[in-house]
Amino acid sequence: MSTSTLENASSKPTYVVKTLGCQMNVHDSEHLAGMLEQAGYAAADPEHAAASDADVVVINTCAVRENASGKLYGMLGHLASTKAARPGMQIAVGGCLAQKDRGTIAKRAPWVDVVIGTHNLDALVPMLERARHNRRAEVEIAESLQVFPSTLPTKRESVYAGWVSISVGCNNTCTFCIVPHLRGKERDRRPGQVLAEVQSLVENGAIEVTLLGQNVNSYGVEFGDRGAFAKLLRACGEIAGLERVRFTSPHPAAFTTDVIEAMAQTPNVMPSLHMPLQSGSDRVLRAMRRSYRSAKFLRILSEVREQIPDAAITTDIIVGFPGETEEDFQQTLDVVREARFSSAFTFQYSPRPGTPAADLADQIPKEIVQERYNRLLALQEEISAAESQSLEGTVVEVLVAEHQGKKDGTRGRISGRSRDNRLVHVSLPKEIGHALGRDGLDDPRLAHDIDSRLPRPGDLVRARVTRGAPHFLVADSALEGGIFEVRRTASGDAWAQRERARLGSDHDHGGAQATPTAVTLGMPMVRSGAATA
């Protein structure tokens, strides 16, 4: 079936994109969805999407953890019966594991129609058509980046916050990491291209952006400007209407004072920092080829907190790297105690074929790794709880999200992220808390004469923290007659407009976000009144 046939079909074929892995994969999935929508497909409704019941199912894979392969083939096994019961259904696999396993995927799961890698996302739709025409699996893995992903059509998951890639690939050689092998050497976008995309997002309602890269603070090396990332942060501060700027992830070895100063001096750069530690042992860091030591890491944190006292710092830690001794592990615990991370992503080391660490001697027995992991987790839980409890009584500003708390509807709460990126559950005033239980066009958040106290996704709320837990804050001040302030935003307007359009009752005008299938077509250009988000 050609693209034109799809566009002219009375009922559009449907698609689902399933994402495994990091923020980079989430953003890549937005590109995959954008290309499918440009080709005439429509997103499956939530019920069918949950069941992976669609004309095209795309799985965007991760290869970082040992269980990544098991997850993929488990999903594919489930899809085999779905496909058998749905003639014409197609299954595509992309992402890092596809780049790594290549044709093996189609051999192990012959019902897969398309396999593409990390370097040729743009091939998805043509390969689906080729597989349909040839009635066989099509596998195409490029060895280097063919098209910079940000030039591709994009279907944004959110109207109030967006991902913006500043680079792809990585020049580091960490012995545990397979990402450089699968994503390639670092390629940087020019600052003007990045800022044009940020501007386009803001013009279409977004008030928050997250700058993405495997190592954001090495941004600019490719075009000869080692200070480019700090300059980029400051330039984002000049974009009217952009209220929140985040970035992920930096590398301690290249994290410099000019970036810390840019964070501190640019009001819309948020006081949150994800700084991967990996290990507190200098001996293990050397074995990992992490080109910093624990003392430098702690100095960075000290400088950040000196200039940004309210910064919330998170991290990544690997337990059980080959050769890690009890003394090494104790050094990690010591650094964690001193660093006082607000939260940590903790991992048990798993060997990845193709990485130098997989061939190292002294692989640690599983039971020892598990015991150490449990101790680290208990320590970090204690620290996270204490850090959250220290915020009780403070006032936080929360960007309201669409989906965060499982019990928000029954408890009359909305959820979102504070400026320092903590998850916050905020109670509505008692007299309007029941409003969250209504769906569709009965949702009072879609009313043009909305109650001024009822926030929409994308709006900002100020409330006082009443309880701090390890992984979230609770702000119930509205129930006690305390502070509860709602500030309407362009993001909230964009969300309401999109939802009315999705439900078939939009009487607003202008802006591409008014349609539920809005797709950015290629590289955005800076222009007044752009309608391309």
Side-chain angles (χ1 to χ4, degrees):
M1 188 185 302
S2 68
T3 300
S4 60
T5 302
L6 290 175
E7 291 172 344
N8 294 328
S10 58
S11 179
K12 290 185 176 182
T14 59
Y15 75 89
V16 175
V17 179
K18 300 282 188 179
T19 308
L20 307 174
C22 65
Q23 298 97 327
M24 197 71 74
N25 269 21
V26 172
H27 192 33
D28 282 350
S29 290
E30 292 183 330
H31 296 312
L32 295 170
M35 289 185 291
L36 288 168
E37 296 220 352
Q38 187 185 56
Y41 292 85
D45 62 57
E47 181 179 350
H48 287 89
S52 297
D53 185 9
D55 294 296
V56 169
V57 176
V58 182
I59 305 175
N60 192 14
T61 63
C62 172
V64 172
R65 308 304 302 159
E66 186 177 20
N67 63 353
S69 180
K71 283 186 178 180
L72 170 63
Y73 290 106
M75 293 175 73
L76 291 177
H78 173 74
L79 284 171
S81 57
T82 305
K83 184 174 181 179
R86 186 178 182 126
M89 177 182 176
Q90 290 186 289
I91 300 170
V93 178
C96 288
L97 194 60
Q99 185 77 23
K100 173 180 170 291
D101 285 0
R102 306 178 177 234
T104 302
I105 293 174
K107 291 177 181 177
R108 288 187 58 178
W111 52 93
V112 168
D113 299 277
V114 168
V115 179
I116 58 173
T118 57
H119 298 311
N120 61 328
L121 299 182
D122 58 303
L124 174 64
V125 172
M127 289 184 66
L128 286 169
E129 294 189 359
R130 194 189 315 160
R132 189 183 299 114
H133 178 271
N134 295 338
R135 298 181 181 275
R136 70 182 184 209
E138 296 290 338
V139 179
E140 186 175 297
I141 305 294
E143 299 302 328
S144 60
L145 194 65
Q146 304 299 295
V147 175
F148 207 99
S150 296
T151 65
L152 300 173
T154 308
K155 173 67 183 300
R156 301 280 179 179
E157 285 191 352
S158 168
V159 296
Y160 51 84
W163 309 102
V164 176
S165 290
I166 67 171
S167 64
V168 295
C170 181
N171 293 337
N172 293 315
T173 58
C174 303
T175 57
F176 58 83
C177 185
I178 199 169
V179 169
H181 175 66
L182 302 177
R183 292 270 181 182
K185 292 291 186 180
E186 181 175 326
R187 296 279 304 277
D188 295 334
R189 297 174 71 190
R190 300 295 298 190
Q193 296 172 337
V194 174
L195 294 170
E197 184 172 357
V198 173
Q199 181 73 52
S200 177
L201 284 169
V202 172
E203 288 174 347
N204 286 275
I207 61 172
E208 176 179 295
V209 298
T210 300
L211 306 176
L212 285 179
Q214 299 297 150
N215 180 7
V216 291
N217 49 293
S218 68
Y219 173 72
V221 170
E222 188 184 34
F223 53 83
D225 185 356
R226 292 186 176 275
F229 186 62
K231 295 174 185 175
L232 186 64
L233 291 178
R234 293 182 186 275
C236 285
E238 300 298 319
I239 297 178
L242 179 59
E243 303 210 18
R244 295 185 171 196
V245 178
R246 305 188 188 279
F247 58 87
T248 193
S249 289
H251 191 291
F255 202 74
T256 50
T257 297
D258 64 331
V259 174
I260 298 172
E261 291 174 345
M263 292 176 65
Q265 296 167 10
T266 309
N268 65 356
V269 176
M270 293 295 94
S272 63
L273 175 66
H274 185 74
M275 182 64 70
L277 170 64
Q278 306 304 359
S279 175
S281 162
D282 289 350
R283 192 185 69 82
V284 173
L285 288 171
R286 280 192 293 271
M288 290 178 166
R289 290 188 198 154
R290 300 284 289 179
S291 49
Y292 57 90
R293 300 296 174 254
S294 58
K296 176 176 181 176
F297 185 92
L298 290 170
R299 283 198 301 271
I300 291 171
L301 268 55
S302 178
E303 186 176 356
V304 168
R305 286 174 170 143
E306 181 179 343
Q307 297 204 41
I308 314 169
D310 57 343
I313 301 175
T314 59
T315 196
D316 297 330
I317 301 173
I318 296 172
V319 177
F321 187 80
E324 179 189 73
T325 65
E326 177 63 24
E327 182 181 359
D328 293 323
F329 179 66
Q330 285 294 336
Q331 290 171 2
T332 295
L333 296 181
D334 290 343
V335 173
V336 169
R337 290 188 185 97
E338 186 170 349
R340 307 292 298 180
F341 300 114
S342 61
S343 66
F345 297 91
T346 53
F347 305 94
Q348 298 183 39
Y349 171 76
S350 59
R352 306 305 297 133
T355 62
D359 298 323
L360 292 176
D362 299 326
Q363 300 285 328
I364 310 299
K366 170 67 177 175
E367 60 272 17
I368 294 178
V369 177
Q370 183 66 56
E371 189 274 336
R372 290 176 183 170
Y373 178 82
N374 291 343
R375 278 190 280 159
L376 173 62
L377 199 61
L379 173 61
Q380 184 56 51
E381 287 283 297
E382 177 185 323
I383 293 171
S384 294
E387 292 296 302
S388 290
Q389 288 162 8
S390 71
L391 296 174
E392 292 176 359
T394 64
V395 175
V396 291
E397 179 191 73
V398 179
L399 174 57
V400 180
E402 283 190 88
H403 309 291
Q404 287 282 2
K406 294 181 180 179
K407 299 179 180 179
D408 281 356
T410 58
R411 294 185 176 179
R413 284 176 177 159
I414 50 91
S415 295
R417 295 280 167 175
S418 60
R419 288 174 56 84
D420 65 8
N421 211 32
R422 283 181 167 91
L423 173 62
V424 187
H425 303 299
V426 183
S427 287
L428 299 178
K430 291 179 181 179
E431 57 271 25
I432 62 170
H434 64 279
L436 296 178
R438 303 180 197 173
D439 296 323
L441 292 174
D442 291 330
D443 187 338
R445 296 175 299 175
L446 300 182
H448 290 282
D449 57 346
I450 184 174
D451 189 310
S452 62
R453 299 167 298 174
L454 184 59
R456 307 160 300 181
D459 285 337
L460 292 163
V461 172
R462 293 179 76 247
R464 193 174 303 279
V465 176
T466 53
R467 182 166 71 90
H471 304 292
F472 59 86
L473 304 175
V474 174
D476 283 343
S477 54
L479 300 180
E480 304 165 355
I483 184 171
F484 180 83
E485 299 172 357
V486 177
R487 177 157 65 88
R488 298 282 179 237
T489 67
S491 289
D493 295 342
W495 176 84
Q497 191 175 354
R498 185 198 68 183
E499 287 301 290
R500 293 189 204 108
R502 183 177 65 83
L503 296 167
S505 181
D506 188 12
H507 301 295
D508 295 332
H509 301 283
Q513 291 289 8
T515 65
T517 56
V519 176
T520 300
L521 303 179
M523 185 72 71
M525 302 297 291
V526 178
R527 61 185 185 278
S528 177
T532 57

